[in-house]
Amino acid sequence: MTASPPRSILPALSPEEQRHSRAVAALIHEQLAAAGGWLSFERFMELALYAPGLGYYSAGSAKLGAAGDFVTAPEVSDLFSRCVARQCAAVLAVTGGDILEVGAGTGRMAAALLGELAAQGTLPGRYAILEVSADLAARQRTRLAQLPLGLRERVVWLERLPARPVRGVMLANEVADALPCRRFTWRAAGVTELGIVAAGEPAAQAPGFRECGRPADATLAQQCAALQEGLPAPLPEGYTSEVCQRVAPWIASLADCLERGLLLLCDYGLPRRHYYHPQRVSGTLRCHFRQRAHADPYINVGVQDITAWVDFTRVAEAAAAADLAVGGFATQAAFLLALGIEQLVAAAPAGTRHARLAGEARRLLMPEEMGEAFKAMALTRDLDLPLAGFTLQDLRHLL
Ligand SMILES: C[S@@+](CC[C@H](N)C(=O)[O-])C[C@H]1O[C@@H](n2cnc3c(N)ncnc32)[C@H](O)[C@@H]1O
C-alpha cells in the first residue's frame, strides 16, 4: 500500500466535487461487482481518469493552472513553449508540414508556440490538436480563438489520430504519465499485481476501496522478471512500483502517423535503471489535488489527477519497435538551456518583466524544481538533422 499523507493536509471537497466523486466511485463499484470483486490498478486508474463523462480528464474540473490541481511547464512560463518552438522551427524548416499536439491542456503551449513560430517565419501549415478531454478542448478553443486570424485559422481539432500521416512535428507534454499503468509488488515467491476491492461504506473523501494484491498474470510476471534482469541491482523483497504496458501501443500509434519528422515527448521520468532504483520502494505514483501532491489514489476519486513517472527506456524500446530513432534524451534544464532560454530572459527589458521571466526560468531549470525530474526525448523518422535541444547533454547511454 502506498503511504498516504494525513488527509487533513488536503483541502476538503466542495459539495459539487463530493457529488461528482461519489458518482465516479459508484461506477467503479459497479465495475468491481461485474468483475467478481477485484479490479486491477490499471483499470481503476483508467476509470478514475477517463470514464466517459465522469473521469478526471473527461469531466469539467479546472485541472491545470493556479486554480486547478497542478501546473505544467507550459503553464509555468511561455519560455518553455518558446524554446520548444525553436526546436520545431528547425525541424519544420527541413520537413515543412504540420504540428500535431497530443493532449494540449489549456492551449497555452499552442498559443505561445504559434506566436514564436510566426516571429521566426516558420509557421506550420496547420496546428492540429488531439485532446481526449471535451472540457479542456473547449478551453483550448476559447484561448486560441483570441489569436490573430493568420494563426488561429491554422488550428484544427482532431477526434482521432489523422489517417494521413504527419510530416513535421508531433508534441506530447505530460501525456505519457497519464497513461494507466499496472502496479506490482516484487516477491521472490511470485509477483503480486495490485488492484482494488470494495471496503466499507463509501464516504466523502474515502470512496470505499481498499488496495488488494493477487498473483500477477503471465504477462506482468514475465515483464517484471525481464526488467529485474536488466537492472544493476536486484529489486528488494516487497518492492512496489509501476509498469506501463500502454506505452508501446501508444508510441506505435503515434509512430504510424509520422511520415517524416520529430515526435517530442516531455515528461517526468527516468531511464529504467534509475526508475527501478532499490531505494524507490513504493514506486513513482503521484496524485495531484489543488496543488498538493500525495500518494493515495483511492481518495478524491475522479476529482484528482493520478500519474506515474515515465520509464524512458520503455519509450525508447517502443520507438525502436515502431521504427523510430531516438534522436536525443536530456533533462528539461539541458534541453531548455540548449535552446536558448537564457537569451530569451536576457532579451527582456530590465524591470518587472525581466524579473518575472528570470523567476519562471529558475522554476523550469533548477534541479529541485522541474529541471532534473523532467526529461525531453526526441524520436525521429527520416530526419538527418542535429537537434539543437539535445546538444548540451546526451543521456541516451543511460537508456
Ligand atoms: C497533464 S495534462 C498536460 C497538458 C499540456 N500538455 C500541458 O503540458 O500543459 C495532460 C493532457 O493530456 C490529455 N490526455 C490525457 N490522455 C490523453 C490521450 N490518451 N490522448 C490525448 N490526450 C490525452 C489531457 O486531457 C490533458 O490535456
Side-chain angles (χ1 to χ4, degrees):
M1 174 102 192
T2 52
S4 305
R7 283 180 188 169
S8 57
I9 70 159
L10 293 175
L13 303 189
S14 68
E16 177 47 33
E17 286 170 333
Q18 287 185 30
R19 263 193 302 280
H20 187 81
S21 190
R22 273 200 298 272
V24 180
L27 172 82
I28 296 174
H29 278 288
E30 271 171 38
Q31 298 260 333
L32 259 174
W38 186 85
L39 281 183
S40 68
F41 178 80
E42 183 189 48
R43 180 67 180 141
F44 165 79
M45 182 169 170
E46 181 172 37
L47 290 166
L49 295 186
Y50 301 110
L54 282 176
Y56 179 75
Y57 280 112
S58 315
S61 68
K63 297 181 267 287
L64 286 95
D69 301 309
F70 55 88
V71 179
T72 60
E75 297 288 333
V76 166
S77 176
D78 287 342
L79 289 168
F80 177 84
S81 308
R82 292 174 66 198
C83 289
V84 171
R86 291 173 160 203
Q87 185 62 87
C88 293
V91 174
L92 288 171
V94 172
T95 62
D98 301 328
I99 292 180
L100 167 60
E101 185 180 357
V102 180
T106 64
R108 181 162 171 180
M109 181 156 96
L113 255 165
L114 282 165
E116 185 71 19
L117 288 171
Q120 300 201 14
T122 331
L123 278 167
R126 68 176 195 167
Y127 193 106
I129 293 178
L130 178 66
E131 174 56 68
V132 288
S133 164
D135 162 59
L136 287 174
R139 286 167 69 182
Q140 292 156 16
R141 283 178 199 276
T142 306
R143 181 188 284 266
L144 297 173
Q146 292 160 26
L147 290 175
L149 178 63
L151 302 186
R152 69 173 186 258
E153 67 188 3
R154 289 169 201 266
V155 185
V156 294
W157 280 264
L158 308 178
E159 294 294 319
R160 59 191 67 80
L161 283 167
R164 193 167 54 89
V166 174
R167 199 163 28 84
V169 180
M170 295 167 77
L171 301 168
N173 188 63
E174 283 206 49
V175 181
D177 65 280
L179 295 174
C181 57
R182 296 177 85 172
R183 300 202 79 211
F184 68 90
T185 298
W186 176 263
R187 295 191 200 287
V191 177
T192 300
E193 175 162 20
L194 300 181
I196 54 163
V197 292
E201 281 303 300
Q205 276 187 307
F209 307 122
R210 180 170 62 76
E211 192 165 80
C212 176
R214 73 178 195 186
D217 64 18
T219 313
L220 182 60
Q222 188 273 327
Q223 286 210 345
C224 291
L227 73 84
Q228 147 98 347
E229 267 172 31
L231 296 176
L235 296 177
E237 184 76 4
Y239 185 92
T240 292
S241 192
E242 297 80 38
V243 165
C244 188
Q245 293 178 340
R246 301 197 184 195
V247 163
W250 186 64
I251 294 290
S253 66
L254 297 178
D256 262 1
C257 296
L258 186 63
E259 178 192 317
R260 182 178 184 213
L262 167 70
L263 166 56
L264 181 66
L265 301 177
C266 302
D267 227 309
Y268 39 105
L270 293 163
R272 183 169 296 153
R273 64 178 73 186
H274 296 167
Y275 192 105
Y276 297 104
H277 190 281
Q279 285 175 357
R280 198 168 279 110
V281 290
S282 45
T284 68
L285 195 82
R286 283 292 170 279
C287 305
H288 299 269
F289 182 64
R290 300 224 205 117
Q291 312 297 335
R292 269 88 160 176
H294 67 94
D296 190 347
Y298 306 121
I299 60 168
N300 298 346
V301 176
V303 294
Q304 68 179 9
D305 194 18
I306 307 174
T307 70
W309 284 33
V310 175
D311 169 1
F312 275 102
T313 304
R314 186 172 293 277
V315 176
E317 288 167 354
D323 205 20
L324 296 177
V326 180
F329 180 46
T331 61
Q332 175 171 296
F335 176 71
L336 296 178
L337 286 167
L339 288 166
I341 189 170
E342 289 172 312
Q343 292 89 311
L344 290 176
V345 175
T352 323
R353 181 168 149 73
H354 185 276
R356 181 174 56 74
L357 287 183
E360 292 172 359
R362 269 197 299 280
R363 195 156 168 209
L364 293 171
L365 296 174
M366 288 294 118
E368 65 280 13
E369 299 258 6
M370 303 178 89
E372 288 280 332
F374 285 78
K375 309 285 189 299
M377 179 175 265
L379 305 176
T380 62
R381 171 164 288 147
D382 191 15
L383 190 68
D384 188 15
L385 172 77
L387 293 167
F390 300 91
T391 48
L392 270 187
Q393 186 184 61
D394 189 348
L395 296 177
R396 279 179 285 180
H397 62 283
L398 293 176
L399 291 168

